[in-house]
Amino acid sequence: VRGSAQGLHGQVQDLNDQLQYYGRDLFAKKSELLNLKRVHRNIQMASKVVESCLEVLKMADQVTIDIQKREFYASLRTLNQLKSENLPPMLSYNFARYLYDSLPAIEIQLRDAVFADMREWFFQLRTKSSQMGRHLMESMAQRQEIWATRRQNMKDGDHEGIEYVSTAVEFVLDEEIPQQAPPTLDLHPLYQCLHIHDQLGYRKQFKQSFEEDRRAQANQMIARKFDFKVGSLEGFRNKLYDIIGYFIIEYHILTSTRDFRSKTEVDSLWDAVVGNFSETLAENVQDILGKESILSSIKQLLTTFTYILEDYAYDVRKLKELNYAIRSF
């Protein structure tokens, strides 16, 4: 029995040695596998971080590209996304902090670019506003001629008692008259510039700058004089076209934006322009006394001019008084 027990003990010892031998190998392989899993997990995390970093850098680069392509809305959207979503979780990285700190400079770059684009549009608008004034004058004159003919026909025909037709009725019936389409007034560059300045916190500065520009343009318009010394009405007509175009644009901006153009400011510009226009006309009216054809044309142009701006809710009492005074000559 003792011999059998000793033999069994030896077998157990051998088995234990074998288990320890193979166990050490298995443990080493298990440890190696765990290390590989940790490395793989770290690589995946690093890969995601690198992808996020590349995405952020790509977005920052896209902002600049969109600014250069004048796609300002897209630039603003990307910039806001960077500022509020993509960069904050990555501020533990130096490059992300540097990029985040540079966002105000990029915002200024966007602001300046959209403002320059608006100024270019604004310069082109000056020519278009005069064309718009010409079109409205010609269109209103056409309606006046047609209604003068209609009224005369009413007097000559069997329409006794019809002495007056309201302006509202006239305009309804004017829809039957084929008219040339007016020059389009595209205010998109202004709306775009206003929106971006508003989003970036520069609305007040832009509003003040725009007011100064419009007042400067009004002063330039006031400075352009006209006279009747050579018997020509070209300067007078151009003055009317400029005034109409300028204040039609003001009307559309005032009625299509909120808290941007002040009605008080626009009315102040209107009073200044009309006052100067009246003074200039009074100074030169002596040159046309006795020239009935020119005087009649001026009266008609002034009447048409008054009708147009009255239709856009401007105070035309001074113009009516001026027209009445001229008719007394």
Side-chain angles (χ1 to χ4, degrees):
V1 174
R2 182 178 297 176
S4 297
Q6 290 178 349
L8 182 60
H9 178 75
Q11 291 177 3
V12 171
Q13 185 67 38
D14 291 340
L15 181 60
N16 181 59
D17 292 341
Q18 291 178 10
L19 287 174
Q20 289 186 5
Y21 174 78
Y22 290 113
R24 282 194 297 271
D25 186 54
L26 181 61
F27 180 78
K29 291 182 178 180
K30 179 66 174 179
S31 298
E32 183 180 358
L33 179 61
L34 291 175
N35 287 332
L36 288 175
K37 286 184 176 180
R38 281 194 294 270
V39 170
H40 179 68
R41 185 168 59 251
N42 291 338
I43 291 175
Q44 285 183 323
M45 293 176 61
S47 178
K48 290 181 179 179
V49 170
V50 170
E51 288 177 359
S52 298
C53 294
L54 290 175
E55 180 65 21
V56 165
L57 293 173
K58 182 180 178 181
M59 291 174 67
D61 187 52
Q62 189 63 43
V63 171
T64 303
I65 293 174
D66 288 339
I67 291 175
Q68 293 173 349
K69 293 167 61 177
R70 294 186 174 185
E71 296 178 359
F72 301 118
Y73 282 129
S75 297
L76 181 63
R77 285 194 300 269
T78 305
L79 196 57
N80 287 338
Q81 186 177 347
L82 273 173
K83 190 174 184 178
S84 61
E85 298 178 16
N86 295 77
L87 276 177
M90 304 180 65
L91 291 179
S92 58
Y93 302 103
N94 291 334
F95 92 94
R97 287 199 301 272
Y98 173 79
L99 182 57
Y100 189 84
D101 292 339
S102 68
L103 289 182
I106 299 176
E107 290 178 348
I108 292 175
Q109 181 184 358
L110 172 59
R111 181 201 65 183
D112 293 345
V114 73
F115 185 74
D117 184 74
M118 192 278 298
R119 291 297 295 270
E120 181 179 341
W121 161 83
F122 188 67
F123 179 79
Q124 296 173 354
L125 188 63
R126 296 181 181 181
T127 302
K128 184 169 289 189
S129 66
S130 181
Q131 295 173 354
M132 184 180 301
R134 176 189 292 271
H135 171 83
L136 290 173
M137 283 285 288
E138 292 174 351
S139 179
M140 179 62 76
Q142 181 186 15
R143 291 201 294 267
Q144 287 176 286
E145 291 176 3
I146 291 173
W147 268 100
T149 302
R150 287 176 177 174
R151 287 194 176 108
Q152 186 61 44
N153 292 338
M154 288 178 181
K155 291 180 180 179
D156 296 340
D158 299 328
H159 299 86
E160 294 183 3
I162 301 179
E163 298 180 356
Y164 172 76
V165 178
S166 70
T167 303
V169 174
E170 289 186 4
F171 276 100
V172 169
L173 295 178
D174 282 341
E175 294 179 358
E176 303 173 2
I177 304 172
Q179 298 180 26
Q180 182 182 0
T184 57
L185 180 59
D186 179 18
L187 296 178
H188 171 75
L190 174 64
Y191 298 150
Q192 177 178 250
C193 192
L194 176 59
H195 174 72
I196 290 178
H197 276 75
D198 190 25
Q199 291 295 306
L200 297 180
Y202 295 105
R203 181 187 181 94
K204 183 178 180 181
Q205 293 89 326
F206 176 58
K207 179 180 178 181
Q208 181 179 354
S209 174
F210 190 81
E211 286 182 358
E212 292 173 355
D213 286 344
R214 290 299 280 172
R215 181 164 287 278
Q217 186 178 350
N219 290 335
Q220 291 176 1
M221 185 166 55
I222 288 174
R224 290 194 291 271
K225 302 296 183 179
F226 62 88
D227 58 58
F228 309 113
K229 293 180 180 179
V230 296
S232 172
L233 296 179
E234 182 179 358
F236 181 70
R237 285 195 180 93
N238 289 336
K239 185 80 168 184
L240 297 180
Y241 299 156
D242 289 343
I243 294 175
I244 291 172
Y246 180 95
F247 284 102
I248 296 305
I249 291 172
E250 284 294 337
Y251 171 83
H252 284 292
I253 295 175
L254 183 64
T255 56
S256 63
T257 59
R258 296 182 61 183
D259 191 29
F260 179 59
R261 290 297 282 152
S262 164
K263 189 175 187 307
T264 302
E265 170 70 13
V266 175
D267 288 342
S268 174
L269 292 174
W270 168 252
D271 291 340
V273 170
V274 170
N276 173 266
F277 173 77
S278 301
E279 291 175 3
T280 304
L281 186 57
E283 291 171 359
N284 292 277
V285 73
Q286 298 296 328
D287 296 329
I288 55 174
L289 291 179
K291 301 177 181 179
E292 291 301 326
S293 61
I294 296 180
L295 191 59
S296 177
S297 296
I298 291 175
K299 294 174 183 177
Q300 185 60 42
L301 288 170
L302 191 56
T303 300
T304 304
F305 174 71
T306 303
Y307 283 166
I308 292 171
L309 289 163
E310 185 178 30
D311 191 44
Y312 283 89
Y314 285 102
D315 184 358
V316 295
R317 286 176 295 180
K318 290 183 179 179
L319 292 177
K320 290 181 177 180
E321 292 173 0
L322 178 63
N323 201 351
Y324 179 79
I326 292 177
R327 289 179 182 277
S328 64
F329 286 110

